[in-house]
Every structure is written in structure tokens, then in C-alpha cells.
Amino acid sequence: MLRTTLILLAFLLGVAAFAQKEQSIYDDASRTLYSREIYGGPLIHGDGWGGTFQYGKYVTAKNRVMFGLDIVSMKHPKEIKSFNPWYQDARGYFYGKLNSMFIIRPTYGRKHRITEKVRKNGVEVNYLWGVGPSLGFLKPVYLQIGVPGDYPYTTITTERYDPAKHFANNIYGRASWFNGLGETHIYPGAFGRFAFNFEYAGDNTGVRAIEVGMTMDAYGEKLPIMATLGGPDINKQFFFEFYLAVDFGSKKIR
């Protein structure tokens, strides 16, 4: 996967550079000086999705200081959705999942222009990096449990998942996500990003871009997303992901 991503990035950069070279032969567009840019949009990564908001201040014509905020979900690779085979209206659940995880990332970084967008339908290519704290929020999973612990159930209760007493034969389905929200625990960590940004807006003050890159969230301990269920601890301390973001926003002209 890493090799394929690197090849794709090299290809995109080569196409963009060639396009800019060809455009420079025919175009003599005036240069626009900017003071700041604001943009955001949805993003997806290998184990979840979320959104990003970015504010950039131009320090030179090519370089920007960036301040950002990401909010993303993070699944465990071993999550497999299960269903109660006896009740067709029951909600699916992830057997063995102790906590749902989402991350808030305040970031500081830099954005550097590689190739300039010479005409309106051109592409501006940038690379960027960012670092900052990674705040992992783990919210307990609640399930609907059938009583007695066999079919048919006479009563269905809502309980926090306990691998010692909740099994496939007494789990009716997933409870509301809002159950356990007040029991959320925060795990502080650190975050880093490196990415390429391809900006293709057709006007001088607009931002429309596709961003591809990689992120790393690191914590001081393994985060308990999944139960061990009598086996080795499969939880992770480091979360390395490739991501894709679609950005929309605007630029301020000096």
C-alpha cells in the first residue's frame, strides 16, 4: 500500500509540473498576492472518517503558517460487525468492542507551494506538514442485552459491554451511541502529518483542493478499544494512516 501511494503521488506531481510548464508557454497571467486562506471539508482514512478546518497566513508568496483542527473517528482493524440471527430488527454491533474512539487534533504547521497555478484552470501543488497534540476520546460501548441469556428474550436491558458476561447468545444489538457519553475518557498524545495538496479553484479567491497524505497519532499506552477475550492484547499505541481530504474555502487578497 505504501509503495502504491508513493507511486501515485510521484505521478500526480509529475503531471502537475508538466501542466504548469506547458501553461507558462501560453499564459502571461498577473500574479496575485494573498494574505490568508481559510478552508475545510470532509476527510477519510483507512480506519475512519471526519472533517478538517485550516487557517493559513501567508509569510511569503509561497509559504504559509498553518493552524488547523481535525476531528476524526478511529476504528480498530479487528472490528467485525455482528448481527443477532433471531431478531431481524436488531441493530448490528461489534463483538468484543469496549470503546468507540474519536480524535481531536489541534495542529500547527507549514504549507509550501511547489508549482504555481499560472492560469485559472491550472493546478497549484503544495506540500504541507503539521504537528500538535492528539486527544483520543474513548466512549464506552453500550449494548442491548436479552434476559434470560437465551432465546426468546422476555426482557431487553441496556448495559455497558462486559466481555465477562455478554456473549453472542444474549446480545440483542447495539444501543444508542449516546449511552455512556458522560463516561468518556481522554487519552492525551501527539500527532504529525505530511501531505500534498492539489488546489484547482477556477477563481483567484476560491479554494477547491484535494489533499492526500499520511498521519500518525501516538499515545503513551495502548488504547483499550477492543477486549482481549482471553487472547493477546490487540490494541494499539500508534495509529498510522493514509488519508484523503476534499477542501473548500477562500483566500484573502492583500
Side-chain angles (χ1 to χ4, degrees), residues 91-155:
R91 301 173 67 188
Y93 63 94
F94 297 97
Y95 185 66
K97 185 173 181 177
L98 290 170
N99 295 287
S100 297
M101 181 178 179
F102 65 95
I103 303 172
I104 296 179
R105 305 163 172 158
T107 60
Y108 166 85
R110 294 278 181 152
K111 186 176 180 181
H112 179 79
R113 189 177 70 206
I114 301 173
T115 62
E116 184 177 5
K117 181 167 56 178
V118 181
R119 64 182 185 182
K120 288 186 177 181
N121 61 347
V123 178
E124 176 182 297
V125 182
N126 304 274
Y127 75 83
L128 59 95
W129 59 266
V131 294
S134 178
L135 304 177
F137 291 77
L138 268 68
K139 183 199 73 66
V141 169
Y142 274 72
L143 300 173
Q144 293 180 309
I145 303 302
V147 180
D150 208 347
Y151 313 111
Y153 305 134
T154 58
T155 304

Side-chain angles (χ1 to χ4, degrees), residues 24-211:
S24 65
I25 296 174
Y26 301 104
D27 295 320
D28 188 20
S30 60
R31 305 297 172 86
T32 303
L33 296 178
Y34 300 101
S35 60
R36 64 181 182 270
E37 61 184 25
I38 300 174
Y39 60 87
L43 69 83
I44 58 172
H45 61 84
D47 291 305
W49 59 276
T52 182
F53 173 82
Q54 302 291 325
Y55 171 83
K57 182 178 180 181
Y58 280 78
V59 292
T60 69
K62 292 184 177 182
N63 296 301
R64 282 139 283 181
V65 176
M66 303 298 297
F67 302 92
L69 182 70
D70 292 354
I71 301 177
V72 298
S73 63
M74 185 67 71
K75 299 187 301 181
H76 193 282
K78 297 295 184 180
E79 290 185 24
I80 300 176
K81 183 170 282 191
S82 302
F83 295 90
N84 189 312
W86 300 99
Y87 295 89
Q88 300 301 316
D89 59 342
R91 301 173 67 188
Y93 63 94
F94 297 97
Y95 185 66
K97 185 173 181 177
L98 290 170
N99 295 287
S100 297
M101 181 178 179
F102 65 95
I103 303 172
I104 296 179
R105 305 163 172 158
T107 60
Y108 166 85
R110 294 278 181 152
K111 186 176 180 181
H112 179 79
R113 189 177 70 206
I114 301 173
T115 62
E116 184 177 5
K117 181 167 56 178
V118 181
R119 64 182 185 182
K120 288 186 177 181
N121 61 347
V123 178
E124 176 182 297
V125 182
N126 304 274
Y127 75 83
L128 59 95
W129 59 266
V131 294
S134 178
L135 304 177
F137 291 77
L138 268 68
K139 183 199 73 66
V141 169
Y142 274 72
L143 300 173
Q144 293 180 309
I145 303 302
V147 180
D150 208 347
Y151 313 111
Y153 305 134
T154 58
T155 304
I156 295 177
T157 63
T158 298
E159 302 178 15
R160 180 173 177 173
Y161 172 60
D162 183 347
K165 65 177 184 178
H166 297 147
F167 306 98
N169 67 328
N170 64 2
I171 298 176
Y172 175 75
R174 185 176 76 255
S176 169
W177 183 87
F178 294 98
N179 288 108
L181 196 58
E183 303 170 66
T184 300
H185 187 75
I186 302 176
Y187 291 81
F191 166 74
R193 162 193 286 123
F194 182 82
F196 290 98
N197 179 280
F198 303 88
E199 202 278 301
Y200 58 90
D203 59 275
N204 288 341
T205 59
V207 174
R208 290 198 300 272
I210 294 176
E211 187 171 300

